[in-house]
Amino acid sequence: MVPVGCCPPRQLLFWGGIKLIKDILEPSIDQESKSFWDGLKNEQLLIQYCDDCQNYIFYPRSICPHCFSEKIRWRNSQGAGKIYSYTVVHQAFGPFKQEVPFVVGIVELDEGVRMMTRIIGKREDIAIDKRVTVVFEKVDDPIVLPYFRLV
Amino acid sequence: MKSERVAAIVGVAESDLGKTPGKNVLQLQAQAAKLALEDAGLTKNEVDALFTAGNWAWAPSLMLAEYLGIQPKYTDSTNIGGSSFEAHVGHAVAGINAGLFEVALITYGSTSRTNPGRSAFPSALTAQYELPYGLPTPVGAYALAAMRHMHQYGTTSEQLAEIAVATRKWATLNEKAYMREPIEIADVLNSRLIAEPLHLLDCCLVTDGGGAVVVVSKRVASRLNKKLIWILGHGESHSHNTIANMPDLTMTSARESGRAAFEMAGITHDEIDIAEIYDSFTITVLLTLEALGFCKPGEGGAFVSGQRTAPGGDFPMNTNGGGLSYCHPGMYGIFLLIEAVRQLRGEGGKRQVENAKLALVHGTGGVLSSTSTVILGRD
Ligand SMILES: [Zn+2]
């Protein structure tokens, strides 16, 4: 039996013609996100903090999703946290096609926010709840992404 | 049953399914709409509300209505992914209850197998924080949820495979199903990994296909010579858009949409005879069964074990062969409704569940993002 591929059509829609990560990102960076992406180039993981409800916020917004306050400022994250979940990707698309297998995870920072990332480490050592720390990965000039490695 | 009978489904149909080369999404929707209206005994001129969901046009409702020659007085192109059509049913009941219209036509069409389509990359907005990491969407997102569920509760790949195997058994009984060769648990486990822990056979098909559902007021229903399938309860919710923002990777908003639907219908879980549950991936089903309350969080693996959801099992589920084996053109939700109505009318043929009176239909959209639950019952 030859199973039908599960390649989701949205992938093709999304990745048609996209060769580089910067081709995805550069058209998307706007005033709201620029500080975050610029911070990474200086090896800073900037996340937002709400002065009214004292929650950290990720991804960047102009209004607090907890209390609707606009008193939001950037803070430097310590870049430490733990793996909330992860997957080893064996079939990828666009600029990532040749990289498989690679590990994508969701990391929960000690400040309390979660973000998607890549996890760097030996496959057999990677597990949920393991501690990780940020590394600044220049993926293609000038794009730097916050990856996380096992500590 | 406390639910007041406001609206009934009186017509359902599929278009051609599987591979439909040369057909476009409007043709598929027109074909399904015509068959569903014929099934109901209504004409297109009696349609006064039009519902569709898709990303094939700037304003899908406008293009579809013009193509079909329908001028609706109520229109709804709510798109929350695969669960859109269960939401449309809920919205249709609300509109009928408010006296806004009496005959709602809900359609869907997709050529995602023969014409995957390519377009320029759109501005990613909030997706810019996920796209650069290369997670294949949606499968990678569901894999993250499955991995977390396994970690938290000890759920196994074998348990997920039970769902794929049972669903395939139903497909062998449905001549319209795309994949009809029986499979075993080992076949699922030995199929190649797509995104760990999900294998190829944990994933839905990619097919073409369309469908249509006709919802009418009690007044219109009473003059039709049809077995009436009443909409007894409905609920909808969504908890996030991108997967990193899902509050808890093991709990979907089916908890909320399901509770609302059960409360409105005034029935309990034990009374459900058949369940049609969105199966984009095996993990989708397992999480949904838990969130809906058919079992406790963490017990989904045990719940589906021993081929409980297969033909002859005590929890008949996805009786057409599901998105895993029958068809899955991207947004599968309308097909869940079609199958539930057929089962409740006793039109299930070889796969008919004996004496099915109450059905739960549940759609999931996006990356476990949106959920809509509908409870249907016959007289
Ligand atoms: Zn706040």
Side-chain angles (χ1 to χ4, degrees), chain B residues 189-243:
Chain B
L189 302 184
N190 292 330
S191 64
R192 68 189 163 87
L193 284 163
I194 304 293
E196 292 180 34
L198 299 181
H199 303 79
L200 181 65
L201 292 181
D202 287 299
C203 304
C204 64
L205 308 169
V206 178
T207 66
D208 301 332
V213 170
V214 182
V215 178
V216 300
S217 67
K218 186 177 182 180
R219 194 180 71 89
V220 170
S222 65
R223 69 171 166 84
L224 298 173
N225 185 25
K226 259 342 264 191
K227 280 185 194 163
L228 301 179
I229 305 304
W230 296 101
I231 300 150
L232 303 175
H234 58 87
E236 67 184 69
S237 188
H238 45 96
S239 53
H240 60 283
N241 177 45
T242 58
I243 194 66

Side-chain angles (χ1 to χ4, degrees), chain A residues 5-123:
Chain A
C6 86
C7 155
R10 271 178 55 206
Q11 291 298 329
L12 299 173
L13 193 73
F14 269 25
W15 298 120
I18 299 284
K19 299 275 185 291
L20 294 170
I21 296 173
K22 70 175 178 187
D23 296 337
I24 307 166
L25 261 181
E26 283 181 340
S28 304
I29 295 173
D30 55 21
Q31 226 183 355
E32 203 166 47
S33 64
K34 193 172 183 304
S35 299
F36 173 73
W37 294 114
D38 283 349
L40 296 170
K41 292 176 195 166
N42 304 320
E43 307 220 326
Q44 286 183 315
L45 181 60
L46 296 175
I47 58 175
Q48 292 173 315
Y49 181 76
C50 173
D51 276 330
D52 274 327
C53 73
Q54 292 163 15
N55 279 299
Y56 282 92
I57 300 163
F58 187 81
Y59 47 83
R61 291 165 167 92
S62 56
I63 195 163
C64 173
H66 304 287
C67 74
F68 247 36
S69 166
E70 290 171 302
K71 281 193 218 152
I72 287 172
R73 61 194 161 96
W74 292 99
R75 274 194 176 179
N76 210 339
S77 164
Q78 296 307 301
K82 61 182 179 182
I83 298 172
Y84 176 60
S85 193
Y86 72 97
T87 178
V88 185
V89 175
H90 293 268
Q91 180 180 328
F93 300 88
F96 313 104
K97 205 172 171 175
Q98 308 304 325
E99 284 184 57
V100 293
F102 56 85
V103 182
V104 176
I106 298 173
V107 160
E108 187 168 298
L109 295 177
D110 291 345
E111 290 88 351
V113 296
R114 292 187 193 144
M115 59 175 65
M116 187 172 286
T117 185
R118 286 283 184 93
I119 309 289
I120 311 297
K122 274 202 287 188
R123 166 68 185 94

Side-chain angles (χ1 to χ4, degrees), chain B residues 104-129:
Chain B
L105 173 65
I106 305 170
T107 72
Y108 173 65
S110 161
T111 55
S112 59
R113 177 140 204 105
T114 55
N115 180 28
R118 283 163 197 274
S119 71
F121 197 81
S123 174
L125 293 170
T126 65
Q128 69 184 282
Y129 309 104

